[in-house]
Amino acid sequence: TAGPGDPRSTSASPVWAVPAQSGLITVDERGRSYRGVIEATGGGALRLVNQLGVEDYLRGMQEVPSAWPAAAIQAQTVAARTYALRAMRSGGELCDDARCQVYVGRTAETAPQDAAVYKTAGRVLTYGNALAAAVYSADAGGVSATTLEGFGTPDGVYPYLTTVHYETDNPLPWRIELALTDVADRMAYPGE
């Protein structure tokens, strides 16, 4: 076997892990199993990419608790499908954490999530004959951000993304600490 520093341990070409009879690939270091195939690339740090269809991807989402009402899981699944397809059209891949959508693979699959994927198969959100910017967050503290606050996009660019107040039993107050110099720079203040 090739070890670190051995020229046989690197490859300019990707290496593919294809599932056996179980249809799953296990990544022991993450303690997770995945559907689809896994592409491994990288000369230094190893980079793994799980390639699979969007419906199987949605089965492995871990965005909402499986105890939520079926309609809520279905609504989130439609938003997640739209987000994923739109991201794929513009960038080609998604990360698997909260920066994109939380995807855990087969390890996260539950009967309520599978039912939501099946019930909403192929459904997406559109606006103006295009996939909508279907963004969402876990909790916005009782009021959603403006598009300028959340995405740096002027309000009105996406008229369907509006600021709303909502009931929450855990408002999660926000706190941020900034240096006065950062505030001055942001506001283009020329003084000290």
Side-chain angles (χ1 to χ4, degrees), residues 90-103:
S90 64
E93 68 182 49
L94 293 164
C95 58
D96 64 355
D97 58 35
R99 292 173 296 146
C100 297
Q101 298 187 123
V102 178
Y103 169 71

Side-chain angles (χ1 to χ4, degrees), residues 12 34 38 45 47 118 120 136 153 186 191:
Y34 299 94
I38 301 229
R47 182 172 186 272
Y118 175 76
T120 66
Y136 53 89
T153 305
R186 179 74 179 220

Side-chain angles (χ1 to χ4, degrees), residues 5 14 26 29 39 58 78 99 113 124 129 134 140 149 154 180:
T26 300
E29 291 76 16
E39 174 189 21
L58 293 168
V78 171
R99 292 173 296 146
Q113 182 68 27
V124 294
N129 296 321
E149 292 170 319
L180 288 177

Side-chain angles (χ1 to χ4, degrees), residues 42-191:
L46 185 62
R47 182 172 186 272
L48 301 178
V49 177
N50 183 199
Q51 295 188 4
L52 71 166
V54 70
E55 301 301 312
D56 278 340
Y57 166 77
L58 293 168
R59 293 175 69 193
M61 296 290 297
Q62 194 172 40
E63 283 287 343
V64 298
S66 61
W68 276 17
I73 299 172
Q74 291 168 19
Q76 193 285 324
T77 300
V78 171
R81 180 181 293 110
T82 306
Y83 180 92
L85 292 172
R86 191 168 193 259
M88 294 303 295
R89 284 189 179 164
S90 64
E93 68 182 49
L94 293 164
C95 58
D96 64 355
D97 58 35
R99 292 173 296 146
C100 297
Q101 298 187 123
V102 178
Y103 169 71
V104 182
R106 169 63 182 98
T107 310
E109 291 179 16
T110 64
Q113 182 68 27
D114 279 353
V117 171
Y118 175 76
K119 181 97 175 178
T120 66
R123 290 188 191 163
V124 294
L125 301 169
T126 61
Y127 181 80
N129 296 321
L131 291 170
V135 295
Y136 53 89
S137 65
D139 195 329
V143 61
S144 61
T146 67
T147 56
L148 184 60
E149 292 170 319
F151 312 104
T153 305
D155 292 340
V157 171
Y158 301 105
Y160 52 88
L161 296 178
T162 59
T163 301
V164 295
H165 293 269
Y166 63 93
E167 295 285 326
T168 179
D169 58 357
N170 185 6
L172 298 173
W174 298 357
R175 176 187 165 128
I176 186 168
E177 293 184 21
L178 298 170
L180 288 177
T181 54
D182 292 337
V183 174
D185 287 346
R186 179 74 179 220
M187 299 180 82
Y189 180 70

